[in-house]
Amino acid sequence: MATSISTSKASTTPPPQKKRSDGINPYVLLFFILVAAAVATWIVPAGQYASETKVITTIKDGVETQVKSSYTIPGSYERLPEQHGVLPGQVFTSIADGLVKAAPIIFLIIFTGGALHLLETTGAINKVLSNISRSKKLNDFLLITIFFVVFSILGTTGIVVNSIIAFVPIGLLVAKSVGMDDKFGAAIVYVAAYSGFNASVMAPMTVGLSQGLADVPLLSAFGFRTVVYISFVVAGIIFLTLYAKKSRRQGMVRPEVQIDDSQFETSKISLRHVITLSYAAFCLIGFIFGAIEWGWGEKEMMAMFIILGVGVGVLNRMSPNDIATGFLKGCAGMVGGAFIVGMARAIAIVLADGMILDTIVNSIISLMDGLPKTLSAISMFGTAAIMHFFISSGSGEAAVLVPIFTPMGDLLEITRQTTVQTVLMGEGVVNCINPTSGILMAVLATSKIPYTKWLKFIWPLVLTWVIISIISIVYAVMTNLGPI
């Protein structure tokens, strides 16, 4: 007798899940932008503003310093008779040029990895972070607030801007110790610093340069910028605190680090750990002092990280071979993030070589003709934000836009102080989402965060900063923010 076998039995095998996308690799994203910029040099009409060199004089502790800066002459834009299209081969040589021109920042990032790897191998950082994770007094809000206050001050004074990459590995370790993800770790350092820098109170290469180009008294409207700075920082603290609460509520974070009671004794920080961390702090504070007093930059910070790494090794009785091996191992881990800076710089090189950057500026500015005073100021802010995707350097953008915006603002009876603020805040609000920023892309590469995921994470804060900026610009226009 034939028997019927049922084939309707439910399968216990779960359906195959779709492979989760990790987002676009930052190198791929920047290369696409680089190619698009090169193609644009054949399509967008070439043009150029005339420029002049201006000497800006500063006096500190009785010492006079003069800095030469090239700035654009308003109304001098002219179309060039020929296109300056960038050839395919030049696209690749621009990457090499970008790496060469960005060498100080690139080596700073690499040396950072070497020094911090040696510091991490001592176990001192892990001990401190383990205690942080077990602390009942230091909740998410207090931890975030402490980091934002410290790093935003370093950012708003211009002391730690490009060099913020050096501190990102520490932020990642802090995030791991309290059970949070890498976006939290990057934000608690990078966003904290840039919440200050984006609304800078006294950074010399943004505020100082912009006010000098507009013939505005140096560091005037200090109170106004301080209020904007505090608003940016508070918005950042609230944003990251809400993100931490949401992550913990939805279980989207790593398990928090747990220390068994039986291991409590071994989790205590030893005297050698205290000496190691004190030495590292002394090196960092020494650099900050040097940056304030003597204008130290990337070169001096590279030297500081070498001194820090070697000193940590000696204090922990490492052999010379172990110090060298550990330093090189740490450097190797940062190469990927470091080279991102050169790739981003290549985009600016292509736009400049193709002679289309000034054409883009002139086209955007022409759209503002005939607008009311308040809308014109907001349009200046929007233009500065857009242009920051093409000119990722704050000082470079100020040298291009401030000389153009200043006479325009004079005609519209917008104070020069307000004009300066539109440029500063316009470039500031997009710093944390700008894919052509070598610093941002290096931070994301170091943290292994895809750009698309970062954008999804950070956009609410950026939108909040935009709203704060627009409100402050409207206030500045309505009150004729001065003194000029």
Side-chain angles (χ1 to χ4, degrees):
M1 180 186 293
T3 58
S4 175
I5 300 176
S6 173
T7 59
S8 62
K9 182 180 178 181
S11 175
T12 58
T13 304
Q17 295 186 358
K18 297 175 76 174
K19 185 178 179 181
R20 182 174 63 86
S21 173
D22 289 331
I24 301 176
N25 183 289
Y27 279 99
V28 175
L29 176 62
L30 288 176
F31 186 74
F32 283 157
I33 296 173
L34 180 64
V35 172
V39 171
T41 62
W42 292 94
I43 300 172
V44 178
Q48 189 175 26
Y49 282 102
S51 62
E52 292 182 352
T53 300
K54 186 171 183 176
V55 178
I56 300 175
T57 302
T58 59
I59 300 176
K60 183 175 181 180
D61 298 332
V63 178
E64 183 178 289
T65 303
Q66 291 186 336
V67 178
K68 293 183 178 180
S69 179
S70 177
Y71 72 101
T72 303
I73 300 175
S76 63
Y77 175 79
E78 289 184 357
R79 288 277 187 92
L80 297 178
E82 298 178 356
Q83 286 296 117
H84 291 252
V86 173
L87 297 171
Q90 291 177 275
V91 172
F92 294 95
T93 58
S94 70
I95 297 175
D97 289 339
L99 289 169
V100 171
K101 292 184 178 181
I105 298 176
I106 290 173
F107 281 104
L108 170 62
I109 296 170
I110 292 174
F111 285 9
T112 295
L116 292 183
H117 178 76
L118 287 172
L119 184 59
E120 187 178 355
T121 57
T122 66
I125 293 179
N126 289 332
K127 297 295 183 182
V128 172
L129 298 179
S130 295
N131 287 325
I132 289 175
S133 67
R134 293 186 293 105
S135 174
K136 303 300 181 182
K137 298 179 180 179
L138 200 61
N139 56 29
D140 288 338
F141 173 74
L142 289 176
L143 179 68
I144 292 167
T145 300
I146 290 171
F147 270 78
F148 264 77
V149 169
V150 172
F151 280 99
S152 69
I153 291 173
L154 296 176
T156 202
T157 54
I159 296 171
V160 173
V161 183
N162 295 341
S163 54
I164 191 60
I165 302 170
F167 300 91
V168 171
I170 295 176
L172 298 176
L173 287 171
V174 170
K176 182 178 179 180
S177 74
V178 297
M180 295 301 297
D181 60 15
D182 290 336
K183 292 192 293 294
F184 179 92
I188 203 172
V189 171
Y190 171 73
V191 177
Y194 271 73
S195 66
F197 181 70
N198 294 345
S200 180
V201 172
M202 55 182 295
M205 291 310 296
T206 52
V207 176
L209 176 62
S210 298
Q211 289 184 327
L213 291 173
D215 292 323
V216 173
L218 186 64
L219 300 185
S220 54
F222 185 89
F224 172 85
R225 289 195 306 280
T226 300
V227 171
V228 177
Y229 154 69
I230 293 173
S231 300
F232 270 48
V233 173
V234 170
I237 292 172
I238 294 173
F239 164 75
L240 203 55
T241 301
L242 292 176
Y243 176 77
K245 288 184 177 180
K246 177 183 176 182
S247 298
R248 295 198 188 283
R249 185 172 62 249
Q250 297 182 355
M252 296 189 301
V253 297
R254 305 184 184 98
E256 292 193 42
V257 177
Q258 299 292 333
I259 305 294
D260 294 336
D261 291 339
S262 61
Q263 297 176 330
F264 182 79
E265 290 299 324
T266 60
S267 70
K268 288 184 178 179
I269 302 175
S270 68
L271 177 60
R272 182 175 295 175
H273 289 149
V274 172
I275 294 174
T276 298
L277 292 175
S278 298
Y279 172 75
F282 174 79
C283 289
L284 294 174
I285 292 171
F287 168 77
I288 292 171
F289 178 82
I292 295 172
E293 291 296 320
W294 302 309
W296 285 1
E298 288 90 352
K299 181 174 65 175
E300 288 79 12
M301 195 167 192
M302 278 188 269
M304 183 275 292
F305 275 114
I306 296 174
I307 295 170
L308 191 156
V310 172
V312 164
V314 171
L315 289 173
N316 287 269
R317 299 179 182 176
M318 297 181 187
S319 69
N321 282 348
D322 288 341
I323 294 174
T325 302
F327 191 87
L328 291 175
K329 183 177 180 180
C331 289
M334 299 294 282
V335 168
F339 282 0
I340 287 286
V341 180
M343 181 72 88
R345 182 66 65 88
I347 297 170
I349 291 173
V350 166
L351 291 173
D353 289 348
M355 307 296 286
I356 65 171
L357 190 57
D358 287 356
T359 300
I360 296 171
V361 173
N362 187 66
S363 299
I364 294 175
I365 290 174
S366 65
L367 298 175
M368 294 189 290
D369 286 344
L371 292 177
K373 184 162 64 170
T374 302
L375 288 180
S376 293
I378 295 174
S379 296
M380 290 179 183
F381 164 76
T383 298
I386 293 171
M387 287 308 304
H388 205 50
F389 290 97
F390 301 97
I391 312 172
S392 60
S393 165
S395 57
E397 183 172 355
V400 171
L401 292 185
V402 172
I404 298 173
F405 281 0
T406 298
M408 186 187 308
D410 291 345
L411 292 173
L412 294 169
E413 297 182 346
I414 297 173
T415 64
R416 293 191 172 191
Q417 192 74 258
T418 302
T419 299
V420 167
Q421 290 304 132
T422 63
V423 175
L424 293 175
M425 290 189 288
E427 69 180 44
V429 294
V430 299
N431 269 326
C432 292
I433 61 170
N434 185 5
T436 62
S437 166
I439 303 302
L440 170 61
M441 301 308 286
V443 167
L444 297 186
T446 301
S447 309
K448 296 180 173 59
I449 303 171
Y451 174 76
T452 50
K453 288 188 175 181
W454 175 262
L455 195 62
K456 183 179 179 181
F457 160 73
I458 201 68
W459 76 262
L461 177 59
V462 174
L463 179 60
T464 304
W465 284 344
V466 169
I467 294 171
I468 293 172
S469 298
I470 291 175
I471 292 172
S472 64
I473 289 171
V474 171
Y475 171 84
V477 172
M478 299 300 291
T479 59
N480 290 318
L481 181 67
I484 297 177

